Each structure stands twice: as C-alpha cells, then as structure tokens.
Amino acid sequence: MADNARTGRIAKRIQGIVASALEHQIKDPRLELITVTDTRVTGDLHNATVYYTVRGRDISETPDLEQAAQVLQRYRGQLRKIVGDVLSVRFTPTLEFEYDEVPQASAHMEGLLAKAKARDEELAKLREQASPAGESDPYKESE
C-alpha cells in the first residue's frame, strides 16, 4: 500500500497528464469543453477517479453532460495508455470519470451569501432610522 504523500503526488500527476492529453493528444472537438478539476487515487494505486467539469460553447448554452460522459468513456482506454506511458509505475491505474458538482454548489452558495448580504444592508438602513419604543431611557428613575 502506498503512503498518502505518494498517492497525492500520483493523483496530481495523473490530473496533469489527463488534462494535457485531452488538450493536445486526443483530437476530438467535443473534448474542448471539458476541464479536469481533480483526481483521487485509491491507496493501492489501482483506481483513479478523475473529476471534470463541462462548459457550454457560450454563456447562454447549457453544457451537454451526457455527451461529455460518453466521449470520456470512449477515450478512457487511450487515456489510461497515455497515463501508463508517462507515469512509469508497476501498475497503471484504471480511470473512472465523475462529473464535478463543486463549482455549481459553490455558485449556489455564493448566490445565497449575496442574498444574505443584501438583506443585512437592508436591515442596517432600517436600523439607522429606527427609534426606541416608549421612552428614550426606560431605566431612568422618576424624581
């Protein structure tokens, strides 16, 4: 079993190799919209999970996640061969591809934080114009 530091280094190497191969070695226009975001390798170095995101061709277009998954599955063997050639380890890990939902979750969280900040600013404006209910000093002693 590999130590955690070695596993992390191999995961980063695999991420770079796969990203470079998608950009430079495999000539398929459907791969242009895919970005490799992270890689996780099991402790025995036999399986690697590559996380990816997909963008649309323009801002208004939603990405085709199903097509991206199919094209990555199609080139999985070729990518594994490239990883094996570059890594030079005893056993080349099998590659699994998973869609990375962290950017969408992050964007959703940013939206919630912006909404909360706007509400805080609104309450601060209301607080400036507020006056106490009843007397200005409810604790003063009458003489």
Side-chain angles (χ1 to χ4, degrees):
M1 178 146 338
D3 61 45
N4 288 337
R6 182 169 186 235
T7 303
R9 284 193 312 268
I10 288 178
K12 287 295 177 194
R13 291 270 326 267
I14 291 173
Q15 179 179 347
I17 293 166
V18 170
S20 177
L22 291 176
E23 185 177 352
H24 300 293
Q25 292 175 308
I26 301 175
K27 303 298 181 196
D28 190 330
R30 298 173 294 182
L31 293 172
E32 293 174 353
L33 305 175
I34 296 174
T35 304
V36 176
T37 57
D38 194 18
T39 303
R40 304 265 168 84
V41 178
T42 58
D44 62 0
L45 304 177
H46 283 240
N47 297 313
T49 304
V50 179
Y51 294 92
Y52 65 94
T53 59
V54 184
R55 60 181 168 79
R57 293 210 180 272
D58 59 27
I59 295 173
S60 63
E61 183 183 350
T62 58
D64 189 356
L65 303 178
E66 188 174 315
Q67 180 186 24
Q70 289 173 353
V71 74
L72 285 171
Q73 188 67 25
R74 182 176 187 277
Y75 290 109
R76 188 171 81 162
Q78 188 174 351
L79 288 168
R80 183 175 183 219
K81 168 86 169 86
I82 293 168
V83 167
D85 290 345
V86 175
L87 264 187
S88 67
V89 291
R90 185 182 312 163
F91 182 83
T92 302
T94 58
L95 300 178
E96 295 292 326
F97 293 94
E98 281 192 32
Y99 181 69
D100 192 359
E101 296 182 5
V102 170
Q104 284 77 10
S106 174
H108 176 70
M109 195 60 92
E110 289 291 329
L112 291 175
L113 290 172
K115 191 185 291 187
K117 182 178 179 184
R119 181 67 180 145
D120 284 347
E121 290 171 357
E122 183 181 316
L123 288 173
K125 287 179 184 176
L126 289 174
R127 197 177 311 120
E128 289 173 0
Q129 301 168 353
S131 61
E135 295 182 27
S136 60
D137 187 4
Y139 299 107
K140 84 175 175 184
E141 304 240 348
S142 48
E143 297 175 15

